[in-house]
Amino acid sequence: MVRRRRLFDRLAARSAVLVLGPAGYGKSVLLASWLAEARPEGAVVWLTLDPSDRDPGRLAADLLTAMRTPGAGHLATLLERLEDPPLFADHLAFVDTLQQTLVDEEVALTLVLDDLHHLVGSPRALELVDHFMAWAPPSCRVLLASRSMPQLRLQKLRLDGRLELVGHSDLAFTREETAVAVGLWGLGLGPDAVAELHTLTQGWPAATRLAVLAVRAGARTDLHDVRRDDALAEYLTTEVLGSLDPDLREFVLDATIDELVCPSLLDAVRSSTDSAALLERCAQDGLFLNRESGAGDEPWFRWHGLFASNLRLPRLARPHSAQAAERRAALWWRSVDPDVAVSHALAARDDELAGEIAASVWLDLVLAGQSDTARRLAAAVPDDVTDAAELHLATAFVTAEEGAVDVARLELERARELSHRLPPSARTQFEMRATVIELFVVRDRVALTESLARGHRLVVESEAGSVSLDRATMALLKLYVGMSEARLLDRPLEAVRLLRQAHLTANESGYTALGLMAQAETCIPSIATGRLDDAQALARDVLAQANAKGWGDLPGIAMASGYLGWLALWKGEPRRAIALLDRCEATLLPHDWAMLGLVTTVLAQACLSAGDVEGAERAAERGRELATHDRMPPWWPSLVLALDAMVLMERGHVEEARVMAQHPADGPEFHLATCFRGCVLLRSGRPQETLDVLDTIPAERMFPHVSGVVDTLRAQALAEFGDRQLAHEALERALDTSQRYGFLEPFRLVGDVLTPLLTEHSSTGTRHGDLVLRVLAHLSSNLPTSVNDWGETLTERERTILHYLATDMSPSEIATAEFISVNTVKTHLAHVYRKLDVANRRAAVRHATQLGLI
């Protein structure tokens, strides 16, 4: 190495450094030599990026892997529980989790992101890097190396004095450094020759190196011969090849088919067995080849990018052999990295092979969190290949998950048009995947019912063994058929069965995120089956698993938060319900309009229960906006109208609310909307109309919370008619439901008008005397808000530590301020995180703010 100490001080001066220069300007060498000499404190992590890192899922996974290498030291141990971010995860939240570990554990980190230019064209990947730099703790130094100026928000870092820019003019060899390099590389040139070489190369380190190799090999004696038509890099590469013996020259041409290579790849490309020895020879001869760590037992090597790319033209001069080599490379990479494999197949002009590879892996890529890669592969393959139907299916799946339902529908139609090209053996699997996507894009109940019937037929056929499916397709099919059943709630037990099977299949196949999604969705039909406590335990377990892996904002598990929020509301904890429902709403899959509507409804109800009428109005307004979309189920207008009537009643507009409740929306009515209308009619002095409305709810729709509201409303309505016996019988049934499930919200919906009947009921021989007292207390005042589902509150010391979290103080600074040890602070933090059910400091502050704790 030529150690350029003139630049070392600049590398150490700021917390963020950007080393910017064209290929071959020694960016990596500069950073490596500085690290070797400076030996910065704490963890040192080096991540060399490549085009696959344009997918933010893969970039986040690679970053985590890099932080677990030996150079990361203790940091690797701290990150053992985290896993790669899965399908459609929020990768910025994943970065937050990594950084929170650095803050909480006070870990010093030097992070090098080399070859950042590979992220050009991927705003989401660059956003991840931007986010890491913007929120990096003071103990973290980030060094970037790139061939081009990255599209990052660097201006604020520069204004804050946190960024050092080392450009290509800084990186270029000085004349003295050129002399040192020539001497180190064993070429005895005099001062004039060194000056001439420096002028010809303009200090370009790679060009200097290539020129020295050409002269040392004896191919050229005059330095002026090293330049041709200003194409310096291409000419120097040619000179190096010209100095090699024919066998090695042919090997280098074949071996530079990829920047990252290994012996078995090159043996496959060359149909040979001697690639390992030739790679070692190239590395020893300094032919721009460095050893790299890689998967498996065999050694991996990386060519200098400029060197490899400039050998493309000589390879293309042999079109037949070049295409054959590209095809063999595609076949080798197929099981290692399908992204690279497809690019080689396309370079070989074998579109059919490219389509076959992309079609076989797109679903695995999506389930591994690499949806951008799957979309890019599908788009890269021409539309005239046999597997075009599968590729359109991939695009439909990804766009549907992102909420672009109309685009997904068009892609699905195109896929079906092209499905006749598929061989018979592939059509069943295609049909199953198409059915899964169709369950995404249909919105009205009739179409959903038809798609669901088709999905059930496919499930039955697969369970009977008449069709054979890969595990990924089977897990997805059962997941989305189960989700659709959960949305309709016609057969809740069947929904639970399918979702449980989807969870088992996903876990057996290693699709952890998919398994968590299935478990979270199981909570919804559990409302209908009455297994509320089991669903509560399951939802908490899902969120705990996700938080432990750094997946706290995974959209697919949103319904775990939603269910806990729903249950908190009905158990009389409206503030906690609001916090959980806000979390659910923020992480719902963008296409799940029906569930978004239901969450909005429960949120409005929770706001009313908490006395926040303005919040309820805002939620109701969102409900009215959703009603303008054709995506919503046919019963949605009834729920919106009933919710508006409830808000009007709280505002004191009794007559207007009564009129709305007396005239329901056209079409089918949601059972909870019927309950809301009953509440409005009762509170506006219409007990008979209340009873008439309640009688319209089918028995099969009397879910536990609905049953509790109906019996409570019926009790008060009968009491107002003077039928005390029937009123007390209905109230006892309502108390039975409340005792079993812990419900308090049904009594709150009726209001304090229920107080006389409850007081009278306590002397009628009720089985629930203690519960009656609790309900009366609930109606007369707000009960203390717990911080979690199992009723825990924060201790005084934990509240004190919680307030410190809203500052930028480190654990050691908090310990100093409170005259306690750092370990005691960390213990309190662990208790706070557990009770608030969060994974890091920022989430704790956000959640505590929602609960009104800070």
Side-chain angles (χ1 to χ4, degrees), residues 33 57 114 129 202 213 226 248 254 303 350 359 368-369 380 402 611 664 679 719 833:
S33 60
D114 200 6
V129 176
Q202 298 180 340
L213 283 173
V226 180
L248 187 58
D254 290 333
W303 294 103
D350 192 339
E402 293 174 346
C679 289
Y833 291 171

Side-chain angles (χ1 to χ4, degrees), residues 763-785:
S763 61
T764 62
T766 177
R767 296 184 297 273
H768 309 294
D770 291 341
L771 178 58
V772 169
L773 295 177
R774 187 180 176 206
V775 172
L776 286 169
H778 184 71
L779 292 177
S780 62
S781 63
N782 291 323
L783 296 177
T785 301

Side-chain angles (χ1 to χ4, degrees), residues 779-824:
L779 292 177
S780 62
S781 63
N782 291 323
L783 296 177
T785 301
S786 63
V787 297
N788 56 37
D789 293 313
W790 48 101
E792 289 183 305
T793 59
L794 297 181
T795 66
E796 191 63 33
R797 176 63 79 175
E798 288 166 354
R799 282 179 175 269
T800 299
I801 299 300
L802 177 62
H803 280 81
Y804 280 113
L805 294 184
T807 72
D808 58 358
M809 295 174 66
S810 68
S812 60
E813 291 171 331
I814 297 173
T816 300
E818 287 296 311
F819 302 100
I820 56 179
S821 70
V822 175
N823 286 336
T824 301

Side-chain angles (χ1 to χ4, degrees), residues 127-147:
E127 183 185 22
L128 188 149
V129 176
D130 222 354
H131 191 74
F132 191 99
M133 295 185 67
W135 294 98
S139 61
C140 180
R141 174 185 282 113
V142 182
L143 299 98
L144 309 176
S146 178
R147 294 180 187 175

